[in-house]
Every structure is written in structure tokens, then in C-alpha cells.
Amino acid sequence: MELLDAHLVPAVDGVAFGLLLFVVAAGLSLAFGTAGVLNLSHGTLYAIGAYTGAELSDGTWGGLALGLAAGTAAACVAGAALSAATAPLARRGHLAQALLTFGLALIGGDLLIQFFGADELPVRVPEALDSSVTLLGHRYPAYRLCFIVMAVLLAGFGTWVLTRTRMGAAVRAAADDPQMLAATGHSPRAVHTGVLAAAGALAGAAGVLGAPIIGPGPGTSENVLMLSLVVVVLGGLRSLWATFFAAVAVGEVQTLGVSVAPELAPYLLFAAMAAVLVLRSRFAEPASTHGPEGTAPDPVARLRGRLVAGLRRRPLPAWTSRLPGGPAWRQAAPLLVLLAVLIALPALLDAYSISLAGSALALGLLAVSVTILTGYAGLPTLGQTAPFAVGAYATANLADAGWTAGPFQIVLSALAAAVFSAVVGPAVIRARGTTVLMITLAIGELTGAVVNQLKSVTGGADGLVGFPATQALWGGEGMLEESELYTYALVVAAVAVALTLLVLRSPAGKLLTGTRGAEARMRASGHPVGRYLLVAHICAGALAGVGGSLMVTVQQYLSPADVGFEIAAFALLAVVIGGTTSVIGALLGAGLIVATRDWVAGSWPGHGPLLLGVLFVATVYVLPRGLAGLRGGGSGGGSGPPSDTSGSEDRSPSAPAVPPAGKVSP
């Protein structure tokens, strides 16, 4: 009884919080499972309802009803608008949707702050609910008990609509067989719009009713979104009741778990999410890139035909490749031009802009590592900030311990990030498409939880600052001037990019390209595809660790925000801007993001998220194949397949495969 008395209130709080997450997650599950939209702006729809309800709340039943109606309607309209925004991306897969909706979330969050203010709004509930009741000898808020009842009724009503009504049948048909739905006279497009509008309405209603529990304020939408993603992953997409119980479990971990095991609670949710995703991917065969025979080109046959055609043509003399206009010169020219511009920057920019250029180089290496995984290995990632963080904190702690030589910091940071990637790699490489996005997101969030909890190493939420400056070489002076730091970052980045390009253009790079383009054929030919992907994951992690080390050296401080989810989204955007297989494009994309976030936004203070959101949206619509696609789909500094931002479950069939291996691996 003593244990029950001690934890009764947190347990009931967990039920209330879990049911709030259920209402939000039900809409997210509906949008993804039925309409096929990976909506990273769903938390913003919740915030629309929460801010609207808080603004209209006046402590009366009329104010509550008006706020509920207005908040639900506003989020419903936003959901319908989201349907129109995502319609052009229907054939481009979930990666484009994720970037678009994340950009819309940035825009929406900025507009909400401009309209309602940056402070958390107070919420007034009717006097009858603004009291407490006796629950097993404990006083408990009446409003939360009322909310629990409403959420249970909503779960029952939603299940009845989906399983017992013609509207629910149309929704299920839209998810399972839209062609058959169209044959019955229903418009799949109308159902798609209705589903996203209903999902928005659920999020808005949850925002209004949940505002007294989770008040509207900065960070609310991101927190609600992440927890809702966990609920959807744990509950699956097929049953509202499974989502219901998963939401209650998440709520209990967030409240009762903090009370019982505060040291473990921050890790449990995303660890469970990653475990569920990995187990599901273990029981699923790798996605095939081809349908029935004859419906897609055979990459092996295409490569064989190219080789035969090449042998029939008389080869050019070897010396022609060394002349201007030869193949080697044409491939190297963009890199040399970019390098020349970067070398000239210190003479053209002020100290602040030079420091931004150094930060762009660090983010650029992170983006190149994402290019390796997304463009070459076919593993779209939202968690590459995890090895980036490992490299960053390794460098900061090495410097604090007196190991300030730059080469030493770079090597050890890369090694630490590579070891981290080797440990988590087996959980990633088996999955494909959206599942990879979710697994890597979980890994990134778990790493963020460790960063916030392991204060002795990371400084927690306060970060690390005040460690000795890095020396360019052993025995030199610590670098403090922006020009020195930039030169150091440029040399390190140039060496790292050169090594990356050598590997990508080597036979190993071609094997990786073949794995992405024709995985089933590679496996049938005896190639150890899993080994190739694991090596790519480790190498990309090492490169991200170098980027993290550079960021610490250039900034001279480190905070959790530097290695959070937003930075992961920025790195993925940089890859899409440049073209998913373009190394140069990833660097240019990183420079554009840093310039927008820190330089352009400086002339319009307070609107950085809005500008970045516009950049996200414009990139998805205007550059579907990235900058590399503007010149005919070339790789732009890499040697992989044409740019592809689909991120879909299927591997791209555009990449050439490689000949069979000499023997079948065990």
C-alpha cells in the first residue's frame, strides 16, 4: 500500500498524459498509415490548437467550447492545406515529405510565436474543473480525470468510425487499394484530403484540451511530435487500440518512470522505439527494387551492355585524360574551383563571416557523411548527428585534458565515431526507407538523452566551454584568430573530402553503388551486401566525427543544440540541395544553410526559423534532384547514381550494379 500511495498520483498523471499523446498520435498514425504522409509538422498542428484554445480560454464553459471549436477548425484547415502541399510529392517518397513538413513546421512555429508571443500562455479552465477530487485518499485535479474520460470515449468512437461506417471503409480502402476505391466512384484524392484534415482536427482538439496539461510554449510542438512518433512506432498503424495502449505506456514512462527510475526514464522510450523497429526489420525481407519481370530495367544487363559497347569503341590515348577538357580534368574542375573560392574567402570576408565559413565546413562534412549513406548506400538517415556528437565531445574532452594537438584530436574523434557507428550499424543496415529514418532518429534522440544526462562528460544542458584552444600541429600555439581556425578547418575538410572521393570512385565505391541500385542481384551474385553497408556506415560515422571535431575547434564551445535533431535535418537538407550523390553539392548546401541561418537571418532578427523553413520548402519543390540535377543529373563531385531524393522503401533502380562476386559468401 505504501508503494501505491507514493506513486498513485504519478501513475494517474501517466494515464492522462498518455491519453493526450494518444489523441495526437492517432492523427499522426492516420496521416501516415492511410494517407502515406510522414508529417513532421504534426506537432505544429497540436500547437495551433493549444495556442488558439489558450487565447480564447476565459474560465467559462463557453470559452472552453469556443476554444475547442476554433482550435480544432484551425488545425483541420491546416491539415487540408498540408494535403495540397504534399500532393506533388506523392511519387517522391517519404524523405521529400519529411523535409517539406519539417520546413512547414519551422515556418508555422515562427508564425505562432510572432502572433501569440514567445512566452508560455496561461490556460484557464471552467471553475467546476479547476478543482481537485479525492482519489483513493489522494487529491487529484478534476480536469485531468475529465480528460481521461473524454480520451477513452474518443478511442471508442474512432474505432467505431473506422470499422463500422462507410466513411471508415473508404479510408481503409484508400490505404489498401486506391485503384479499387476509385472504381467504386470514390475519389482517392478527396479521401486523402479528408484524412489529413481529420488528422489535423485530432491534433488541434488535443492541443486545446491538452493545453492545461502541457501549456503552449516554445518547444512544445517538438516534444509532442517526438513522443507521438514513439507511440506510432510502438503501436503500429493497424489498430487504434494498439496505439491507445502504446500511448498509455509512453505516458507512464514519462511520469511514473521519472518517479521510480529517473536515471533510466530518458532512455527507455527511444530505446524501445529502436528495438521495435529493428525487430520488425529483422522479420521483413529487404525491399526489392523491381516489380514483375520486364517492368524495370536490369542494372546488371545495363552495365554489361555499357562495358561491351565501351570495348567496341576505340579507347582514347591515356594522355588525353590529363589535358584540359579530358575526363579527369572535367571531374576535378568543380572541386578545384570550389577550393580556390574557399582559399580566397579570408581575404574577402570579415571575421564573423569567416567563422561562419568554418562552421559551414564542419556541417559540410556531416552532410557528406549523410551523402554516403543516403545517396550511395540507400540508407536515408536522420541520426547522423549521433557520431557527429561523439566526435565533438571527444575533441572537447581531449582539449580539456590537455591533448590539444589538432591531428591527434581529429584521429581520435574519427576513431571514436567509427566505433560508435560500428556498434549501432547492425541495427541500421538491415532496414530500408522510412524504417531507416525512424531507427536513425531514435539513435539520434538516444544520443541526445545521453548528452543531457551524462553531465560529467558533456556538461549536460549547459554544454562545454572554456577548454584550451586547439593547436594546428604539435608544439604550436593554440589557434584563437578566426582566420587561423578557418585555415585549419579548410585543410582538414579538404583532406577528408579528397579521401572520401577517392574511396567513392574506387572499386569499393562502385560496389556500394551497385548495392544501392540492385541489392537483390548483388546478394544473388554472392556479394556480402550487409558487410558493404556496415563498412559504409562506419566510414560515414568517422567522417561525421571529423566534422564534429572541426565544429568544436571553430566554435570553441559545444552545446546540446549543436548536435540535436535540427542539425540532423539541416544535414539532410544540405544533401538534398546538392543532389543526394553530390559531394560538392552537399558542401554547397551546408554553406547555404549556415548563411541563411546565421548571416541572412541576422538582418531580420528573430526570423531565422522562418527563413530556414522557406529554404526547406523551396528546395523540395524547386530542386527535386538537387543542384546536380540542374546540369543533367550528374553526380557533381561523386561517382554514384543520379540524384534521387525519394527515400522510399525501394532502392533506386537508377544505379548501375557490379559484376558477380567470385564466390558466394556464407
Side-chain angles (χ1 to χ4, degrees), residues 212-263:
I213 301 175
I214 307 178
T220 299
S221 61
E222 293 84 355
N223 185 42
V224 169
L225 172 65
M226 289 299 176
L227 293 176
S228 299
L229 285 172
V230 175
V231 170
V232 169
V233 168
L234 295 180
L237 300 172
R238 292 296 179 184
S239 170
L240 271 182
W241 286 110
T243 304
F244 178 91
F245 290 116
V248 172
V250 170
E252 291 295 348
V253 170
Q254 287 295 97
T255 55
L256 185 60
V258 171
S259 175
V260 175
E263 67 281 356

Side-chain angles (χ1 to χ4, degrees), residues 20-36:
L20 171 60
L21 292 176
F22 161 73
V23 180
V24 182
L28 185 61
S29 177
L30 193 64
F32 185 54
T34 302

